[in-house]
């Protein structure tokens, strides 16, 4: 996957953006990858997906592994870099600063900012959504630890739709972590009661749970239409 290097414009929304996937640096010099769809011109607001990679939390790893899934979409997609666990104080501060910077320099529909992540990143997605539920329209945890990590605050997600995807044969993070997360979300008095689905279809709701068997079948879930992650008013 080709990637070029660019720097964010510190002076506000930049109507001229490099189309495609580029390696960029924040004002503080932290690397991230940004995917800009061909239809983006800066004239209208676009939805933004922030995807957190698994393992070491590397931006390029997240971009490479989800490239096929996001290519057909019209999402702006940002891949931050943690260089470790996503819920450390340093990673959390860098993530918050990057999100602020993206909203300042891109024409983003702030009602359609979504966060997703795989494994370490899936845990981070729920962690950040629990910290700042007002910043996200929905959160997706793909094989994340969720309720198994005490730092994750699921009680704040009553108003945020959540999709939990977990392989029943996962030997890295037990599937019960997503099952326990779903139970906790059901007890958070959600605006829309959680639904349970099979791995063959998507389900709407703040705690939909779908369970493919392995850890490999995760990227297609990024293709879920944004409209399915909008809670009714």
């Amino acid at each position: 996957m080709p990637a070029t290097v660019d720097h964010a414009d510190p002076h506000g929304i930049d109507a001229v953006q490099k189309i495609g996937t580029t390696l960029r640096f924040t004002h503080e010099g932290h690397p991230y990858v940004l995917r800009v769809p061909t239809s983006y011109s800066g004239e209208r607001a676009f939805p933004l997906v922030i995807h957190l990679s698994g393992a070491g939390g590397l931006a390029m790893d997240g971009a490479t592994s989800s490239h096929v899934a996001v290519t057909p979409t019209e999402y702006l997609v940002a891949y931050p870099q943690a260089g470790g666990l996503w819920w450390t104080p340093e990673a959390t501060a860098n993530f918050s600063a990057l999100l602020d910077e993206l909203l300042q320099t891109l024409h983003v529909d702030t009602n359609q900012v979504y966060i997703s992540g795989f494994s370490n990143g899936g845990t981070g997605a729920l962690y950040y959504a629990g910290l700042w539920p007002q910043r996200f329209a929905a959160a997706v945890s793909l094989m994340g630890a969720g309720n198994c990590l005490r730092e994750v605050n699921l009680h704040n997600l009553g108003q945020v739709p959540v999709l939990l995807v977990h392989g029943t044969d996962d030997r890295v993070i037990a599937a019960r972590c997503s099952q326990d997360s779903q139970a906790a979300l059901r007890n958070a008095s959600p605006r829309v009661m959680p639904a349970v689905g099979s791995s063959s279809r998507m389900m709407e709701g703040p705690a939909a749970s779908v369970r493919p068997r392995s850890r490999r079948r995760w990227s297609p879930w990024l293709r879920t239409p944004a409209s399915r992650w909008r809670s009714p008013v």
Side-chain angles (χ1 to χ4, degrees):
M1 178 187 62
T4 58
V5 178
D6 196 12
H7 292 266
D9 178 4
H11 304 296
I13 292 177
D14 187 355
V16 180
Q17 289 285 338
K18 290 184 181 295
I19 301 300
T21 303
T22 58
L23 173 64
R24 306 189 180 202
F25 296 88
T26 65
H27 302 331
E28 292 77 21
H30 301 295
Y32 69 100
V33 173
L34 180 67
R35 182 260 181 175
V36 178
T38 56
S39 53
Y40 181 86
S41 66
E43 296 181 358
R44 64 180 176 90
F46 271 60
L48 170 66
V49 173
I50 304 174
H51 184 69
L52 313 181
S53 68
L58 302 180
M60 191 59 71
D61 182 38
T64 301
S65 60
S66 64
H67 176 66
V68 173
V70 303
T71 295
T73 74
E74 287 198 343
Y75 294 112
L76 294 161
V77 185
Y79 305 92
Q81 178 145 311
L85 299 176
W86 287 101
W87 50 94
T88 66
E90 180 180 2
T92 301
N94 291 341
F95 175 89
S96 182
L98 173 60
L99 180 53
D100 288 341
E101 190 170 306
L102 292 171
L103 296 180
Q104 292 168 5
T105 57
L106 296 168
H107 197 175
V108 174
D109 182 346
T110 55
N111 291 317
Q112 295 191 69
V113 177
Y114 307 95
I115 185 166
S116 68
F118 173 68
S119 193
N120 173 23
T123 307
L126 292 182
Y127 173 69
Y128 292 146
L131 279 180
W132 308 298
Q134 74 282 0
R135 304 180 85 171
F136 303 108
V140 181
S141 173
L142 306 159
M143 288 64 163
N147 208 43
C148 289
L149 185 75
R150 64 181 181 180
E151 287 86 352
V152 175
N153 186 358
L154 297 177
H155 298 292
N156 285 344
L157 297 179
Q159 302 299 309
V160 180
V162 173
L163 173 64
L164 302 170
V165 182
H166 217 119
T168 53
D169 293 342
D170 190 343
R171 297 182 180 180
V172 178
I173 298 176
R176 68 171 179 81
C177 291
S178 287
Q179 295 164 354
D180 290 350
S181 297
Q182 183 191 30
L185 287 164
R186 284 180 177 270
N187 293 328
S189 300
R191 184 187 303 180
V192 181
M193 286 303 296
V196 179
S198 69
S199 60
S200 61
R201 63 193 179 102
M202 290 291 182
M203 296 294 292
E204 298 182 39
S209 177
V210 289
R211 297 181 295 276
R213 291 182 63 83
S214 73
R215 292 175 62 85
R216 297 178 181 176
R217 293 177 54 198
W218 66 269
S219 59
W221 304 107
L222 290 176
R223 298 173 183 165
T224 312
S227 60
R228 295 196 180 187
W229 302 111
R230 302 292 295 276
S231 293
V233 176

